[in-house]
Amino acid sequence: MSTSDAARATNTAERLPTTDSPDTAALTEASDAPARSGRRRMLARVVTVLAVVLVLAAFTLPNQPWRMQAGAFLRIPLEALLLAAVLLALPGRPRRVVAAVAGVLLGLVVLVKIGDLGFYSSLGRPFDLVLDWSLLDEAFTFVAESIGRPGAIAIAVGVVLVLLAVPVLTALSTVRLSGLLTRHRTASTRVVASLVLVWALLAAFQARIVTGVLVADSNASTIVHEHVSEVRERINDRAAFRTEVSADPFREVPAEQLLTGLRGKDVLIAFVESYGRDAVSDPEFASVQRLLDDGAGRLQAAGFSSRSGFLTSPTIGGGSWLAHATLLSGLWIDNNQRHKSLLASDRFTLGDAFRSAGWRTVGVMPAVNQAWPEGKFYGYEQFYSGPDLGYRGPRFAFSPMPDQYAINVFHSRERVGPRDRPVMAELALVSSHSPWTRVPSLVDWDDIDDGEVFRKGIIGTPTAQARTGYRHAVSYTLRTLISYLETHGDDDTVLVILGDHQPAPVVTGDNASPDVPIHLIAKDPAVLERIADWGWQDGLTPDATAPVWSMDSFRDRFLTTFGSAPARPQAQSR
């Protein structure tokens, strides 16, 4: 190649663009721009669709678990239409502010709905905006004792993140959708107007896809109204309850007139956790009913007689302390505000009555693991918490010890040996407390000692089925109480067995009765003669025709029947 040819080739090469030249990069970027733009548009559309789904789901989410069906979300929320109309009428900045505020409020409504769902599922009632915050600590303790503290902490962190994330996401979604509305103002206006007309027609015909749920929906406004009304009721209830507490005719009854029909008797009031009406009426729990029938026969053979009825509890699924307070105080204690006010009062309780009349009063609560000043309010001279009972065996889910162990320690410390007074005791039994995944078996009373015997394979089969576990757990506690009477009951033993509340709706189903069974068992015929006019049925299995009293009426009826009282109260139904 000549020198001139080489020079020409070199010049040509210099004029050709290289892959690193600015022109090439520009061409490459220009060719990639449509692809990136398409991906951004696709992502924007996905985000918009998710925002639409989130906002509509927030408006239509039911707050009752039995309405959680796919058809329940196929509704036209009136509040969403009204919000859209307002946003279409506003200019840019005010529109975004209103959309953000509305989104936050919508998120808070969603949190209230979630709270309602949880409380309906566990307690059979909606979330109380005023009083139920204190239950969060109880819930954490329950979870920690059931699955361990690390798991409980993880769940608590998750709950906090949800509480923060929901209002933020609904606010971002409503702001995004407000921009979409205004970018297509004409079409959006026509769609909203058409949907308003459709909503009115569906409302006129009461159209439904899911039973009890209207397609023309205004549920969000209804929920807000109900919870605001409940707040007002809680505020007004404070004054009303103060009046109820102060009206107590038994406070002035002389001690010598109290409980004369039970003098010399050991009176034991045993609360059986989650022992509700379903346990003696649901066909699936027929084994519990057979156990009660068999137990009544065995007790009768041992000389005992029994009578049974129902009490209407102030709570379902949890809140045992409310039921205990209601029965012992003679007041309707259906929330923590009333409970706190009661404990701050000088109400005359059943424990006070027995103590004034000469009984040694005792409280036994194995689930309590710290100081319990409430014992003084209930009139107990001696209180046994879980640590006081000296248990060395295994835990059983929530229950720190088997009921048989707690009863045995109470018996050995309070009913054995020389005594100068009879004993009255409240036994708060917890082996039948949810989650019912591990149930102890009954052992020989002489073998119990410090509880190690429960570690040696004498344990019921673990189960994950709520109804099956519940049946086993309630049967265990009832069998324990019947066995205790057979083993240690005598002519001067009077045992009252009752449930504190029905179990959670996971066992009973939705809208279950709040009634609980109650039984009075004694060997002395004079005790049963005293309650002849109560109308309670023979045996331990009350049927559908058995009397139902309100739980707050029991104290007055009991004190009147077994002693002298200012006036004979009538049992109330609720």
Side-chain angles (χ1 to χ4, degrees):
M1 178 183 295
S2 65
T3 303
S4 60
D5 290 338
R8 283 196 299 270
T10 301
N11 292 335
T12 302
E14 289 176 351
R15 290 196 299 271
L16 291 175
T18 65
T19 55
D20 295 329
S21 68
D23 292 340
T24 302
L27 289 172
T28 302
E29 183 175 349
S31 64
D32 289 343
R36 285 199 300 271
S37 178
R39 287 195 294 269
R40 282 197 297 268
R41 285 196 299 271
M42 179 61 67
L43 179 61
R45 289 169 183 168
V46 170
V47 172
T48 299
V49 169
L50 291 176
V52 171
V53 171
L54 177 61
V55 170
L56 289 179
F59 276 113
T60 58
L61 175 70
N63 71 325
Q64 297 165 325
W66 55 90
R67 291 178 174 170
M68 284 291 289
Q69 304 175 42
F73 291 89
L74 300 178
R75 293 181 282 164
I76 303 175
L78 178 62
E79 299 86 355
L81 299 178
L82 295 177
L83 176 60
V86 170
L87 294 177
L88 284 168
L90 292 173
R93 184 176 179 81
R95 170 181 53 77
R96 289 190 292 273
V97 171
V98 170
V101 172
V104 171
L105 294 177
L106 178 59
L108 296 178
V109 171
V110 171
L111 294 179
V112 171
K113 289 182 178 183
I114 293 173
D116 284 352
L117 286 169
F119 272 73
Y120 272 119
S121 297
S122 58
L123 301 178
R125 63 171 178 82
F127 178 68
D128 190 318
L129 287 173
V130 177
L131 304 176
D132 282 341
W133 299 104
S134 62
L135 295 181
L136 295 178
D137 182 58
E138 297 287 340
F140 179 84
T141 300
F142 168 71
V143 174
E145 293 181 352
S146 298
I147 67 172
R149 189 172 182 83
I153 292 174
I155 291 174
V157 171
V159 169
V160 171
L161 291 177
V162 169
L163 292 176
L164 295 174
V166 169
V168 171
L169 290 175
T170 51
L172 292 174
S173 297
T174 52
V175 170
R176 184 176 188 86
L177 295 181
S178 71
L180 179 66
L181 288 173
T182 54
R183 284 197 301 273
H184 307 279
R185 189 180 298 274
T186 301
S188 298
T189 301
R190 291 172 180 172
V191 170
V192 170
S194 299
L195 287 175
V196 169
L197 178 60
V198 171
W199 188 95
L201 292 173
L202 293 173
F205 287 100
Q206 299 285 292
R208 291 177 173 86
I209 296 176
V210 174
T211 302
V213 179
L214 295 174
V215 177
D217 178 46
S218 59
N219 185 250
S221 299
T222 302
I223 291 172
V224 171
H225 173 73
E226 289 173 348
H227 281 281
V228 170
S229 297
E230 185 179 56
V231 170
R232 289 198 298 265
E233 290 173 5
R234 291 287 176 256
I235 295 172
N236 295 334
D237 187 56
R238 292 178 185 271
F241 186 69
R242 283 195 295 268
T243 301
E244 293 178 28
V245 170
S246 62
D248 190 353
F250 286 93
R251 191 194 310 276
E252 305 303 326
V253 175
E256 61 272 13
Q257 296 180 21
L258 289 170
L259 300 162
T260 54
L262 292 172
R263 292 294 163 88
K265 308 291 185 188
D266 286 342
V267 180
L268 315 180
I269 300 176
F271 280 94
V272 178
E273 172 66 35
S274 299
Y275 177 39
R277 184 175 190 129
D278 278 38
V280 298
S281 62
D282 189 328
E284 189 171 336
F285 302 137
S287 61
V288 177
Q289 297 145 35
R290 288 193 298 271
L291 183 153
L292 290 170
D293 289 339
D294 178 68
R298 298 206 322 265
L299 289 174
Q300 187 174 18
F304 289 92
S305 296
S306 54
R307 302 288 185 274
S308 300
F310 291 106
L311 300 179
T312 300
S313 174
T315 182
I316 288 179
S320 304
W321 59 91
L322 303 178
H324 295 205
T326 295
L327 185 102
L328 299 173
S329 71
L331 294 169
W332 188 251
I333 311 298
D334 62 347
N335 60 66
N336 281 335
Q337 176 176 283
R338 283 187 161 228
H339 187 246
K340 291 179 181 178
S341 298
L342 173 68
L343 295 179
S345 74
D346 60 351
R347 181 73 176 182
F348 192 69
T349 66
L350 269 182
D352 292 325
F354 275 98
R355 187 172 183 177
S356 297
W359 270 261
R360 173 173 167 80
T361 52
V362 178
V364 181
M365 297 191 177
V368 173
N369 56 15
Q370 56 190 354
W372 199 67
E374 291 91 332
K376 182 178 180 182
F377 169 79
Y378 288 115
Y380 297 141
E381 298 176 55
Q382 177 66 53
F383 177 73
Y384 295 104
S385 66
D388 298 327
L389 297 173
Y391 181 65
R392 296 293 180 267
R395 288 186 65 94
F396 293 86
F398 175 84
S399 178
M401 66 191 71
D403 289 338
Q404 187 182 12
Y405 178 86
I407 294 171
N408 189 64
V409 172
F410 156 74
H411 176 80
S412 63
R413 295 185 186 180
E414 296 294 339
R415 298 195 68 210
V416 174
R419 296 181 291 153
D420 59 350
R421 292 178 293 165
V423 65
M424 174 269 180
E426 178 197 358
L427 309 173
L429 306 177
V430 292
S431 286
S432 52
H433 196 292
S434 62
W436 312 300
T437 54
R438 195 168 181 84
V439 182
S441 295
L442 197 66
V443 303
D444 191 290
W445 291 90
D446 293 332
D447 295 337
I448 293 177
D449 194 31
D450 64 356
E452 283 290 341
V453 66
F454 294 102
R455 195 185 300 278
K456 299 177 181 178
I458 313 176
I459 299 172
T461 303
T463 176
Q465 299 295 321
R467 288 173 68 85
T468 300
Y470 171 74
R471 183 177 70 245
H472 291 330
V474 168
S475 296
Y476 162 75
T477 298
L478 294 173
R479 188 179 293 112
T480 297
L481 289 167
I482 292 168
S483 175
Y484 174 76
L485 277 183
E486 290 180 299
T487 306
H488 296 300
D490 56 28
D491 292 348
D492 291 327
T493 303
V494 176
L495 175 62
V496 177
I497 303 173
L498 75 153
D500 49 6
H501 51 70
Q502 284 261 53
V506 67
V507 172
T508 63
D510 302 317
N511 298 315
S513 162
D515 298 343
V516 298
I518 182 168
H519 320 286
L520 191 149
I521 309 169
K523 186 173 284 190
D524 187 347
V527 174
L528 279 301
E529 289 172 6
R530 286 261 186 170
I531 68 169
D533 66 344
W534 286 8
W536 287 15
Q537 297 175 339
D538 289 341
L540 296 176
T541 315
D543 62 28
T545 65
V548 181
W549 301 352
S550 178
M551 191 176 280
D552 58 338
S553 70
F554 180 82
R555 185 207 70 158
D556 290 8
R557 190 68 180 251
F558 188 86
L559 292 177
T560 300
T561 296
F562 291 105
S564 302
R568 184 127 182 133
Q570 297 298 314
Q572 301 295 317
S573 296
R574 284 184 184 267

